Amino acid sequence: RALYIHSPHLQSLPDLRLEPATFSLTIRYGLFEKQLTLLEEAEGGFDQFTRSYKGYGVQRMPDNSLVFKEWAPAAEALFLTGDFNGWDNFSHPYSKKDFGKWELHIPPKEDKTPAVAHNSKLKVVVHTSAGERLYRISPWAKYVTRHEKSVIYDWVHWDPPQPYIHKHPRPQKPRSLRIYESHVGIASPEGKVASYSNFTHNVLPRIKDLGYNCIQLMAIMEHAYYASFGYQVTSFFAASSRYGTPEELKELIDVAHSLGIIVLLDVVHSHASKNTEDGLNSFDGSDSCFFHSGPRGEHSLWDSRLFNYSGWEVLRFLLSNLRWWMEEYRFDGFRFDGVTSMLYHHHGIGSGFSGDYTEYFGLHVDEDSLLYLMLANHILHTLYQDCITIAEDVSGMPTLCRPVQEGGLGFDYRLAMAIPDKWIQILKEFKDEDWNMGNIVYTMTNRRYGEKCIAYAESHDQALVGDKTLAFWLMDKDMYTNMSALIPMNSVIDRGIQLHKMIRLLTHGLGGEGYLNFMGEQLQLIQNAAAHGNNESYHYARRQFNLIDLDHLRYRQLYAFDRDMNRTEDKYGWLATPPAYISAKHEGDKVIVFERANVIFIFNFHPTNSYSNYRVAVGPPGKYKIKLDSDEIQYGGHGRLDHNTEFFTEPMEFNNLPNSILVNKLYYLWQNKDLHN
């Protein structure tokens, strides 16, 4: 039968181009409401449904008996084996239940302690209809480890006698989101995999000092292959053991909360590793289970498995996974990875996304995935008022960050992925004098009205995945030999430092409603690569935070600029205001001027020209003073501006604003003029 449920909120869509898609959005919302009804009827509502981590995997009862529960619809029999029974493959069989579920009850030992001890190893033994005997890790395993000489991870029962107790409440959602994207394993100058404890004690204080109010942690969900940077997940409920224990991650988040910093998890629900012995793939011996069978269940570029989002138990698993990280570890939200792949049956492969709205609606859209994302966002925002969700989508899907009630997917933010690509393109392909101010401004401001964006000049994609950071595009090998503050800057370093600061400030002020920086990139510390991609060497898989503490190196100057840029935003709050009004993007002068949150931003990108008495349009009349100057000596600049100067508006209309001021000096970008690209 046809399903058509009208949502009154659809009339409030901010984009008139969506009018032809109103029927599709209405159907989508109707399917969402139907799913909520089914959850209510079958599971008692989504609150209970998303707490399934309290029933699946292994649970200790009040009397210390243990209950094991799995979903393995294609299995013929299930057994539990491990240290507790001398690895007997047949002594502890599961009982078959309805709908492909299996259960096993193990009473406590005679001394009333649990039969399976904390930190002991386990395996699920799966017997298939083809007569195979498979050894598997529970999909709900909370902790897995790998012996140094092994390539396979082991399921370790985690039930510490003194679990970590969170001491600090979650901070309130910040009005302006300034995100420090981080990878725990490379957060140390040492050539090794760094720890949760190192991050807690050595990195968190730096993040606080820098003025970031949010940390986005990548590579936390357990992944067998370190060089995948966490994007080939093998155990979805397990925090990666290569950095330490679950309790140490809980402490990290708790300490961050005590500093007023919220923590987001980079969650990967778009696909899963193909690993079988220590992953989800073929858990019950079939080609499907959690995934689509056949070609639809495989991602051809990522060589990974794709979830069947229409499956009831798959929804249970994924939605409970989100709830687990929120409840058990007290994360404050999620950055959803690979959303483009989820949205379309073609997964974005070979699609350029011109912006034509026919690309966003039709049979090529995976409605099952969309429904899952709507459910995820609705549940998270209903249960956790301050929860933040961010979508990584390159396609520009409209309504991605609109409320579910409008037929939207319900995300709070989307990543402005075109901005870092634009900066890399400019540095690769254009001489300084050929930079197009209008094109830069267009890229910074080209976002959907009413859908908030996270702007960033670069992220882990530049630092980790085969590209170079902005600093290396700007300065390359000179960074190793000419960053001393005890000697005059050569032309390469001078140009690089000045452009690096201006690129970041322009992105911060103009590019979105949130700002993101990947760990260490604001300091130009060092190019990264994962150990497995460098013959098992961790030399490049690290962050040299120690360089910041050396007064004679210019990294300290870049640290100071990044800190004061964030602190200035914290004072004036431009990220929390509507998009900027751009009053100038002068191609000949290479000048960009815009106003946001009553702050006037003025950029002179010209490599050789300075300007005197340069007229700048402003809105509110009054007196203006310099609040942040990239040319200050403490930031590696040349100190050419007098900060005691006061600028008074004149009631002279200019560039469509009622007032204007004269800026007495607008200096060219860098001091050394002998550089030619």
Side-chain angles (χ1 to χ4, degrees):
R1 60 185 176 87
L3 176 69
Y4 187 89
I5 300 177
H6 177 68
S7 171
H9 301 283
L10 288 175
Q11 298 174 8
S12 64
L13 284 171
D15 190 343
L16 294 178
R17 291 173 294 177
L18 285 170
E19 285 186 1
T22 301
F23 182 77
S24 295
L25 295 172
T26 304
I27 291 294
R28 184 184 297 171
Y29 183 73
L31 292 170
F32 162 76
E33 284 202 321
K34 181 182 179 182
Q35 193 72 17
L36 286 183
T37 301
L38 291 173
L39 286 173
E40 190 69 39
E41 293 173 351
E43 302 283 348
F46 62 73
D47 187 16
Q48 282 296 109
F49 187 63
T50 57
R51 291 181 184 270
S52 293
Y53 57 83
K54 292 189 173 184
Y56 285 72
V58 54
Q59 308 297 327
R60 178 164 54 85
M61 299 294 104
D63 65 350
N64 277 342
S65 62
L66 298 173
V67 178
F68 294 80
K69 186 175 182 179
E70 303 294 347
W71 177 65
E76 286 292 312
L78 254 64
F79 296 86
L80 185 70
T81 188
D83 292 333
F84 78 102
N85 66 358
W87 295 96
D88 188 318
N89 289 335
F90 299 100
S91 63
H92 289 79
Y94 286 71
S95 299
K96 190 172 185 178
K97 305 297 181 181
D98 293 335
F99 309 111
K101 297 170 185 176
W102 301 80
E103 286 189 10
L104 167 63
H105 294 252
I106 304 180
K109 295 191 290 188
E110 290 185 3
D111 61 2
K112 304 301 181 183
T113 60
V116 179
H118 165 63
N119 224 14
S120 60
K121 293 179 181 179
L122 296 166
K123 286 280 189 183
V124 177
V125 184
V126 179
H127 290 241
T128 72
S129 57
E132 296 176 290
R133 184 191 302 168
L134 308 174
Y135 295 89
R136 296 288 187 258
I137 289 176
S138 169
W140 303 80
K142 300 177 180 67
Y143 189 55
V144 295
T145 63
R146 181 178 67 87
H147 189 272
E148 186 177 349
K149 295 183 179 180
S150 174
V151 296
I152 304 296
Y153 273 75
D154 295 309
W155 175 19
V156 175
H157 179 51
W158 191 258
D159 187 16
Q162 295 180 317
Y164 185 85
I165 299 174
H166 293 271
K167 304 176 183 66
H168 305 282
R170 286 190 172 102
Q172 289 187 332
K173 182 193 295 186
R175 63 167 188 165
S176 297
L177 202 57
R178 300 183 299 273
I179 304 172
Y180 200 76
E181 184 185 25
S182 303
H183 186 299
V184 171
I186 64 173
S188 165
E190 300 179 63
K192 65 178 185 179
V193 177
S195 67
Y196 294 125
S197 294
N198 167 73
F199 197 95
T200 301
H201 298 108
N202 298 321
V203 183
L204 284 181
R206 294 191 189 275
I207 296 172
K208 175 65 175 178
D209 183 60
L210 279 166
Y212 291 93
N213 55 22
C214 175
I215 299 168
Q216 181 178 296
L217 287 179
M218 61 184 297
I220 293 297
M221 302 168 76
E222 190 60 272
H223 48 291
Y225 184 40
Y226 187 48
S228 74
F229 313 113
Y231 294 118
Q232 291 273 348
V233 175
T234 44
S235 289
F236 283 72
F237 286 81
S240 182
S241 61
R242 54 172 57 87
Y243 318 127
T245 68
E247 312 312 298
E248 289 166 337
L249 174 58
K250 293 173 186 176
E251 182 187 25
L252 185 161
I253 295 169
D254 197 27
V255 172
H257 286 169
S258 75
L259 298 172
I261 299 172
I262 64 172
V263 187
L264 307 182
L265 175 68
D266 195 343
V267 70
V268 186
H269 282 184
S270 50
H271 65 131
S273 168
K274 272 190 173 179
N275 287 21
T276 54
E277 286 193 57
D278 54 7
L280 280 185
N281 191 20
S282 191
F283 172 69
D284 64 355
S286 72
D287 181 42
S288 52
C289 200
F290 291 95
F291 310 105
H292 289 290
S293 60
R296 190 180 176 189
E298 299 198 9
H299 196 293
S300 59
L301 291 184
W302 296 345
D303 192 32
S304 55
R305 297 304 311 271
L306 299 175
F307 287 104
N308 175 9
Y309 300 102
S310 65
W312 191 264
E313 294 301 322
V314 178
L315 288 177
R316 182 195 305 278
F317 181 78
L318 294 176
L319 293 172
S320 295
N321 188 234
L322 298 174
R323 193 81 188 272
W324 164 258
W325 293 108
M326 293 292 290
E327 290 286 338
E328 185 71 12
Y329 288 91
R330 296 182 64 81
F331 278 95
D332 301 287
F334 302 95
R335 179 257 197 196
F336 281 73
D337 180 69
V339 169
T340 305
S341 175
M342 300 174 70
L343 296 178
Y344 309 97
H345 291 298
H346 54 63
H347 309 300
I349 300 171
S351 299
F353 295 110
S354 65
D356 189 300
Y357 274 39
T358 59
E359 296 172 333
Y360 305 123
F361 301 95
L363 296 178
H364 53 284
V365 175
D366 190 334
E367 296 292 343
D368 293 336
S369 299
L370 263 66
L371 181 58
Y372 164 68
L373 292 171
M374 292 171 75
L375 284 169
N377 278 304
H378 172 75
I379 291 168
L380 288 170
H381 290 109
T382 301
L383 295 173
Y384 310 97
Q385 186 177 359
D386 287 343
C387 178
I388 293 172
T389 59
I390 302 170
E392 187 215 25
D393 169 45
V394 73
S395 76
M397 166 69 80
T399 74
L400 187 73
C401 299
R402 296 301 300 175
V404 169
Q405 291 77 9
E406 293 180 4
L409 275 67
F411 285 99
D412 296 293
Y413 298 89
R414 71 196 314 152
L415 292 175
M417 301 182 72
I419 294 177
D421 291 344
K422 174 57 65 176
W423 286 125
I424 293 296
Q425 180 201 19
I426 289 171
L427 294 178
K428 280 183 178 180
E429 300 177 9
F430 295 97
K431 296 180 180 179
D432 296 345
E433 58 267 27
D434 295 331
W435 284 26
N436 186 308
M437 300 294 103
N439 184 255
I440 292 172
V441 168
Y442 173 79
T443 303
M444 292 286 161
T445 57
N446 182 27
R447 52 190 186 269
R448 299 193 181 283
Y449 178 77
E451 299 194 41
K452 293 187 290 187
C453 287
I454 302 293
Y456 56 108
E458 54 189 338
S459 72
H460 69 264
D461 289 322
Q462 286 72 44
L464 299 175
V465 194
D467 206 334
K468 295 197 294 186
T469 62
L470 291 177
F472 270 82
W473 279 112
L474 288 164
M475 294 173 285
D476 206 54
K477 63 181 183 297
D478 281 71
M479 286 180 60
Y480 294 113
T481 56
N482 292 295
M483 285 297 282
S484 173
L486 302 178
I487 59 174
M489 287 185 286
N490 66 20
S491 55
V492 173
I493 294 297
D494 192 1
R495 169 184 177 267
I497 285 180
Q498 313 319 326
L499 275 177
H500 197 270
K501 291 179 292 184
M502 291 178 68
I503 285 171
R504 304 183 87 79
L505 180 57
L506 182 61
T507 303
H508 205 307
L510 193 58
E513 290 71 36
Y515 177 75
L516 178 144
N517 170 66
F518 181 64
M519 179 175 62
E521 283 178 338
Q522 82 283 7
L523 313 172
Q524 310 176 355
L525 290 182
I526 194 163
Q527 175 73 0
N528 282 288
H532 296 307
N534 288 282
N535 298 317
E536 301 296 327
S537 170
Y538 294 99
H539 178 71
Y540 294 105
R542 59 196 177 116
R543 277 304 194 222
Q544 293 186 270
F545 288 111
N546 54 307
L547 300 180
I548 306 163
D549 301 323
L550 302 176
D551 291 337
H552 67 281
L553 293 182
R554 298 194 182 276
Y555 300 104
R556 192 177 184 87
Q557 298 167 345
L558 293 163
Y559 180 98
F561 181 77
D562 197 65
R563 177 196 64 208
D564 291 351
M565 178 175 67
N566 282 323
R567 290 181 178 180
T568 305
E569 195 289 325
D570 188 56
K571 180 176 180 180
Y572 295 101
W574 59 73
L575 290 171
T577 64
Y581 179 83
I582 298 128
S583 60
K585 40 185 176 180
H586 199 291
E587 298 300 342
D589 294 347
K590 301 298 179 195
V591 169
I592 295 173
V593 181
F594 60 89
E595 182 178 315
R596 194 174 183 190
N598 293 327
V599 177
I600 310 300
F601 293 78
I602 308 171
F603 295 83
N604 179 13
F605 279 98
H606 205 290
T608 57
N609 288 356
S610 295
Y611 307 102
S612 298
N613 295 322
Y614 199 86
R615 187 163 294 278
V616 170
V618 298
K623 180 178 70 176
Y624 288 78
K625 296 195 70 174
I626 296 172
K627 293 298 181 181
L628 184 66
D629 172 18
S630 66
D631 196 46
E632 277 198 72
I633 290 175
Q634 65 168 322
Y635 305 143
H638 302 286
R640 293 172 287 187
L641 295 178
D642 181 1
H643 284 218
N644 293 317
T645 304
E646 296 179 335
F647 303 87
F648 292 90
T649 60
E650 301 175 49
M652 181 183 296
E653 184 177 346
F654 188 67
N655 287 346
N656 299 316
L657 288 177
N659 301 291
S660 59
I661 58 175
L662 282 177
V663 178
N664 54 351
K665 281 294 183 182
L666 193 56
Y667 286 99
Y668 54 81
L669 189 57
W670 66 88
Q671 194 83 345
N672 295 286
K673 299 186 185 180
D674 60 340
L675 182 70
H676 300 284
N677 288 356

